Structures are given as structure tokens and as C-alpha cells.
Amino acid sequence: MKQANIRNFAIIAHIDHGKSTLADQIMALTQTVSEREQHAQLLDDMAVEQAHGVTVKARTVRNFYHAKDGQEYEYNLIDTPGHVDFSYEVAKSLAATEGALLLVDATQGVQAQTIANYRIAKERHLPLIPVLNKVDMAAADIDAALAQLHDLDAAFTPETTLLISAKTGQGVPAVLEAIKDRLPAPSGAPQAPLKALVFDSLYDPYQGVIAYVRLMDGQLKDQENLRLMQADQSFKAKAIGTFTPNMHPQSQLTMGDVGYVVTGIKDPKQVRVGETLTAQVQPTPTPLAGYQPARPMVFAGLYPQNNDYPALKEAIQKLGLNDPSFSYTEERSEALGVGFRCGFLGAFHLQIIRERLHDEYGVDVLTTAPNVTYHVQLKNGQRMVVNNPVQFPAFSLIESVAEPFVQAAITMPSESLNAVLKLTEQHKGTLTDLGNQGDLVVATVKMPLSEVAYHFFSELKSVSHGFASLSTRFLDDEISDLVKIEVDMNYAPVDALAFVVHREDAPMMTQKLVGQLKVTVPRQLYPTPVQARVEGKVLARVDVPPLRKNAAVNGEAHSVSKKAALLRRQSANKRRATQNAVKLPQSVFNAILEL
């Protein structure tokens, strides 16, 4: 394919704006897939993607388009997710393209992730084609959506914006022509030494790591000796090819192509996303800039429900091989046994991992309360990074604790402003800026990440009746007054239930927690005391009722004191024998999540 006839592009959009449907239409119109193979969300092949109707993992597909000028063009589409948790995948995809389609739902208008993805593309100086989807729906407000697009970027005029319906195919042929006319061809040098960007990877148990590459310069041949520049790792290309959308072997890839390389490397940590791939014989002198690895924002413990630790370990290792944004380390809990402390991009990413463990590997897990990373300054001058509340040091040793803060941009109609600002105040947010985005209000709020990570997004949707949208960006770590809440069950500490909160919230949260544990902790044959402690002081306590009354003696008349002494001994013996035998279901950990 001639260099001038190649187009590498992505589709960026807010979640559920029709991105995957448009990708399906492009593949159908270019006859990339046959009618027999065609189905909805073709690029979303994971069960969890089909279930939620969202894209989680970026996918790539090569299409050949016969344009109106009589020439054939190669369209390399790199799919992107739309949920705020997966903006890392968007950045990876855009690094391998020369332009993008900015897709907006005509019934919803410009939303938070639309703006966030627009900014990612603009930082890379990528040309954008504005596309308004779902124009055939009765609820579509085309004029308002066009005005919002124009407010986002003055270049997005009604004349430059394409009106389509991805579901029916209306207007999609004009999108294919616009890609040819308005997006540039790759600008690399075909005769220069090989320089390719590794923008994603996949692990295969038989073939090792399969690197997804975009060739910036030069040519790549099958069975060629190659080198990863940052890792200084050499290997021979076992196979190369393109995506149609399944892997299609090729003998050669040239500058501008997007494809894959079977490396044969068994350790996925050696093939880092953002690597520069070059030839071993004539290497390129300078590597590509690449980009920062994914930073976990939320941490939680995963433990096997049925004590099948080997199955959980195998499943988590396989997930880690194919999801570079998912991190894990082994940990041991006295209450739950051996499990893993895992890092996630956000609460939705945590939900996706749990569902993939169940759907793909048949492993059910107990999930502890999510937490963020804390930086603890000790009185002896040492600094600790705490990802697990169990590691939180004793209060007498702590000088100060810093927690991560984020900048949250909340886009909403003006009538929702008071309710949203009240919600952010409840979550310790500080308003730093208030502006307009067309007829929408954009509030910029500085908030602790721990307040945003769990229920804030769903509460925001509730108070704004579904019209507000959220985009977050990490700011820095700041000192806060934080304490660890420890839970004792039957007078024995349950380390897996410990969590860190702001001191001012501790009294209220401990009372709510023991109230919920009273109805979720499994009942025993005797009353089970549950108490919540902060800095050695019990702030809340409740007794879980027994299954039945304890009949220590028969109904005949006996000494009351002897009966009481017998009950005390019996109760103490039972507690001593079963102090750590209480099996905790997931509902106990959900009680913490619902606080």
C-alpha cells in the first residue's frame, strides 16, 4: 500500500455514545468482515464487555476502503474505551494514530469523557473530525449538540460536523470519505532504520508475548532479529501480521502499518507498553518518547471464597499478563488466609476484574474494602507507602499522613449546580473554579481520591438526574487527619475488615458499620460481640444475636449463681475454641462499601 493511502485513526467518545456501533459499521461498509461474521460490538469480544455494553480493552482492525476517487485506502482503526477509568487505554491508542473521530451522542451532547479525550488528542496535536451520532432518534437535540461542539472547539462548525446514525448506517459513508480527506497519511521514512511503537500487548501461553506495534519508520520482516530498546531485550520475530480483526499473518510490515509481532518472550514485564522496537542489525539511533505506565488509583484485597488459592493465583497471573494496568502482590490475612492485594485504575476496573475472574476462570472472590495509597511520615524520620490498611502503623508512631487528591471537573446543567456543590462539600471537595461550556456549567473541584473512588459517581448521577458527568486528574498528595478503624469480632481482630477514614467521620462510620455487621455476620450458638476501635478506643459495639437461647441447665430449680457460673464458663470455653472460626461472607465486606 502506498504511504499516501494509509490512514491510522481512533474513535474517541464518552461511554455509550455509539463508538463500537460505528466501528461495526465501518467494518461492514469496507467488507472487512463477512455478513456471516458480523454481530453487534464485534471488537468487544470479552464477555464482560458484551454484558456491560462498554469497551474495556482497546482493539485494532485493518480495513480496505475503495474511495470515490477510484483508489484503495488502508484504514487502520484502533478502538478505544469510553469509561473514565480507562483513559490510559485511550492515551495508548492515540499515540499510534495520526487523527481521530470525536463522536458525540445527539441525545446527550458533549459530556465529561468527551472533553477529557478531546484534551488527550489535542495534547498530541492530532486533527479531529467531529461526528454527531444518533441523529435519527426522537430525543436528539441536534442544534444544542452542535452548539456544544462549537463551544468545545471553534473549528467544530455545523459545516465540518458529520451527522450520522451508526445503528442504521445513515451518514457513515461520508465519515469514510472524511477520513481520507481530512486526516493525514503517516509521515515516516520507509527506507530509514526500523522504529516501531509497542502500544499494547497480549500474552499467549504457547507463543509468549504478542506485541501490538505501529511502524513509525522502516520495514519489519518475518523471522527478523529485533531488539526492545528500553529493556535491551533481543529476540527473533516468530511471526508478524495485521488484524482483520483476527490475526492475519504477513511476510512484511512497512512504515505506517499497524500490526503484531510474536516475540516468544515468556516474561511480559520485559515487553512494556511504550517500548521502541528496532532491528538488531541496523537499529534506529533514538528511541521513541513512549509514555508513562498506568498508575493504580484504588487497591483492594482479593481472596478465594472456597479456599482454592491455586486457582485464584493462576487466574490472577493470567489476567495480569493481558492487562498491564492491573497490578497484584501476594498477601496473607489472619481471617481470610492467603490472597492478593491488587491495584486498579478505579472502582469500575475493580468490578470488571471481579467479573472476569468469575466468567473466564470460574473463580469467586471475596473483595475487601478498596483503599488508596497513603504516604505516612513516622516520628523517627522514616517514610512509609501504605497500600494496605493492615500495614498502617500504630497511631503513636505517626507524625503525619498524606493522601492523594484529584482535580474533578464536573459538567452539568445549571439547575443541578446547587445539588452537586452540596454533594462535593459532603465529600470534602473544595471548589476551585466555575465556568461555562456552552449552556452547561463546569465546576472544578479539588477532592481526596478516597472520596471519589467509591460511590461518588453514582451519587453524582442521582443528584443531577443523570445529566452530570465527571472527569478526574491526579493532582498531588496532601496531609490529612486520617485514622485506621479496626474491627474486632468475638474479641479477636479481623485484619481484612480494617480501613482508613478521616478522623471526623470515624464516630459516625463506626456506628453505621457495627449496625450493618449485626445483620450480616453469620450467627453462632452464642452472642458474638463486634466492636470497632480507633487508636485503641472502642467507638462502637454490638452483639450479633445467637442462633438460639443457650440452655445450660434443665428446667428444674437450681441455684441461680451456679447456673450463671456455668453459663460464663461455657461461653468462655466456646469463645476460646472458636475465636477465629467465624466464616465471613462477601456481605460483611459489602457493609463497609455501603458506608
Side-chain angles (χ1 to χ4, degrees), residues 538-551:
V538 177
L539 295 190
R541 173 194 161 121
V542 71
D543 281 342
V544 179
L547 283 170
R548 60 178 175 80
K549 288 187 177 179
N550 200 329

Side-chain angles (χ1 to χ4, degrees), residues 182-224:
R182 292 157 64 176
L183 296 184
S187 58
Q191 304 307 319
L194 171 65
K195 182 189 288 187
L197 171 70
V198 178
F199 66 91
D200 209 345
S201 64
L202 177 75
Y203 184 82
D204 184 277
Y206 303 105
Q207 302 183 92
V209 178
I210 300 174
Y212 293 15
V213 296
R214 155 71 205 279
L215 270 68
M216 301 298 184
D217 289 318
Q219 297 182 346
L220 173 60
K221 294 184 174 62
D222 190 18
Q223 304 300 317
E224 187 176 0

